[in-house]
Amino acid sequence: MRSASFIWNVCKSSFTFGLIGLTVSDRFASVVPVRGLSMAPTFNPPNNSSSFGLFTDDHVLVEKRCLTDYKFSHGDVVVFCSPRNYKERQIKRITGMPGDWISVPFSYDAVKIPEGHCWVEGDNPTDSLDSRSFGPQIPLGLIRGRVTHILWPPQRVQKIDKKLPRSGLSF
Amino acid sequence: MSLFQQWAFIVKEALDKSFLVAKFFCSVHVANTYLCSTALVQGPSMLPTFSLTNELVLLERISTRNGKAGTGDVVILQSPENPRKFVTKRIIGMEGDKITYIVDPKNSDSTETVIVPKGHVWVQGDNIYNSYDSWNFGPVPYGLLQGKVFWRIWPTSAFGSIGRRPETVDPALKQVLEQANQS
């Protein structure tokens, strides 16, 4: 029965490491691939190769310690659940915090961001259709983590800076 | 045994014990986040289902994570106005439903009808006269739901499951809603 006890030991250790890994990725940090071009050139910059497989996508470090007090600021890149479909996760940059006034594009309205919400936008200048489609104002509770570093591919390992992508949208 | 061997033995014991403690905390965290958890509810917005004083309830996280929470369930969600605050309300409508509600139940009978947008739910407290819910902050995205309340532990006099409908329907509210639905 040596093989049975060996398999049992393997099961026990993998279960333990699964529990520990799940806890660490929920509470401290996890690594996620970035798909899509809405955050070019910060993530997935356009290059000559035409294949965008999982291997060539940027993988980033998402830290979860910020979820204890929800203290975000302008320019943070965050991962959040899409308000249209809670199963999808999206990565965008925060460009407005509660109390800011944002001018709605293509109209003369100005909207004040209500308490507990924030305004997110992609870095890609031609991304205007995407970031306005779901009404980019999201409750802060939908945020699932903040992106701090790019970890893959190795030539693009760097820290993500907080920067305001372009002016003209907020007062 | 030499001093080094004794020291190595103590260090190994300490590491084993701390590993055991870490395993315990990890399993508690995973059970709390993915299976079942407890919560304290208070406030007047869910009378008569929950009383004004503190009540301890069990909430399960499987149905909200899988999208199975539906109309009539009591859920705990993060408030859209303050992500650190959790509120307990009942789901009245899912995405695509038409909700007719009384705008200001203390003062008038006028009603309004909305359609819940995609990916959102409409939540309401059972006590419509004193509840800060979707009438005030609008439909909430499904991603803010934390768990479904299914059992009450404390006070022990009210130990039991939480049903899918409010226990009593205010007769005045029922009449107004019927009239609004007919017109």
Side-chain angles (χ1 to χ4, degrees):
Chain A
M1 288 289 113
R2 271 188 61 202
S3 60
S5 70
F6 174 70
I7 292 177
W8 175 242
N9 278 340
V10 165
C11 283
K12 267 203 311 189
S13 343
S14 51
F15 183 69
T16 309
F17 282 117
L19 278 184
I20 296 182
L22 204 56
T23 309
V24 164
S25 88
D26 277 352
R27 287 188 164 240
F28 295 104
S30 64
V31 181
V32 296
V34 178
R35 298 204 310 277
L37 299 173
S38 63
M39 286 292 285
T42 314
F43 303 134
N44 290 349
N47 51 19
N48 290 332
S49 85
S50 53
S51 70
F52 287 101
L54 202 60
F55 191 67
T56 54
D57 279 342
D58 282 357
H59 287 61
V60 294
L61 186 72
V62 180
E63 62 106 358
K64 310 275 170 95
R65 301 298 292 154
C66 55
L67 295 179
T68 46
D69 52 7
Y70 285 97
K71 278 204 179 48
F72 297 102
S73 47
H74 293 88
D76 278 343
V77 179
V78 291
V79 175
F80 58 93
C81 290
S82 163
R84 284 287 159 93
N85 182 359
Y86 72 99
K87 291 192 207 171
E88 276 173 20
R89 302 272 173 101
Q90 301 199 351
I91 299 187
K92 297 275 185 287
R93 197 181 289 267
I94 293 183
T95 46
M97 290 302 283
D100 290 351
W101 287 90
I102 299 276
S103 76
V104 178
F106 311 118
S107 101
Y108 292 112
D109 280 344
V111 159
K112 185 168 183 194
I113 300 181
E115 196 58 46
H117 289 67
C118 62
W119 185 276
V120 289
E121 259 177 44
D123 283 351
N124 196 341
T126 58
D127 182 39
S128 52
L129 225 52
D130 186 22
S131 69
R132 280 136 189 76
S133 60
F134 56 76
Q137 191 173 282
I138 57 159
L140 283 172
L142 285 179
I143 295 183
R144 294 285 178 259
R146 172 169 49 204
V147 175
T148 47
H149 294 78
I150 302 183
L151 295 180
W152 179 268
Q155 67 266 23
R156 282 180 43 80
V157 172
Q158 61 186 282
K159 190 162 157 41
I160 303 290
D161 290 327
K162 287 202 260 200
K163 70 171 168 67
L164 300 175
R166 59 182 187 275
S167 58
L169 210 55
S170 48
F171 296 125
Chain B
M1 275 196 293
S2 74
L3 203 61
F4 174 72
Q5 277 176 322
Q6 280 177 323
W7 179 80
F9 181 70
I10 292 174
V11 166
K12 185 174 178 317
E13 278 285 311
L15 281 180
D16 277 346
K17 289 287 182 284
S18 48
F19 194 61
L20 209 61
V21 169
K23 270 199 296 189
F24 173 70
F25 276 123
C26 288
S27 39
V28 165
H29 166 87
V30 167
N32 257 1
T33 317
Y34 293 94
L35 294 175
C36 178
S37 176
T38 55
L40 212 57
V41 298
Q42 58 179 354
S45 63
M46 285 294 287
L47 288 167
T49 316
F50 295 122
S51 67
L52 279 167
T53 52
N54 285 349
E55 298 205 356
L56 200 62
V57 295
L58 276 180
L59 62 145
E60 55 101 351
R61 308 224 182 225
I62 307 176
S63 43
T64 44
R65 213 168 260 277
N66 291 339
K68 297 273 186 309
T71 312
D73 289 334
V74 178
V75 291
I76 292 197
L77 56 134
Q78 277 174 296
S79 161
E81 311 209 321
N82 184 357
R84 301 169 66 181
K85 191 168 106 168
F86 293 89
V87 294
T88 315
K89 299 278 177 268
R90 195 181 293 265
I91 295 181
I92 300 293
M94 305 294 291
E95 64 188 18
D97 288 349
K98 218 162 51 144
I99 309 281
T100 307
Y101 64 96
I102 302 182
V103 185
D104 191 5
K106 287 186 198 162
N107 297 332
S108 75
D109 271 350
S110 60
T111 61
E112 266 186 42
T113 307
V114 295
I115 298 196
V116 181
K118 184 169 180 322
H120 289 63
V121 295
W122 190 271
V123 294
Q124 205 168 293
D126 286 346
N127 180 9
I128 57 163
Y129 298 100
N130 196 353
S131 170
Y132 193 72
D133 47 31
S134 283
W135 289 347
N136 307 90
F137 48 67
V140 281
Y142 195 96
L144 288 182
L145 297 186
Q146 298 290 307
K148 177 175 126 178
V149 176
F150 68 102
W151 200 269
R152 179 182 5 225
I153 316 178
W154 189 272
T156 46
S157 57
F159 191 90
S161 65
I162 309 287
R164 292 202 81 182
R165 294 262 170 273
E167 264 105 24
T168 55
V169 178
D170 192 337
L173 168 64
K174 205 166 148 190
Q175 200 176 16
V176 170
L177 285 180
E178 272 169 16
Q179 278 175 349
N181 279 336
Q182 278 164 8
S183 60

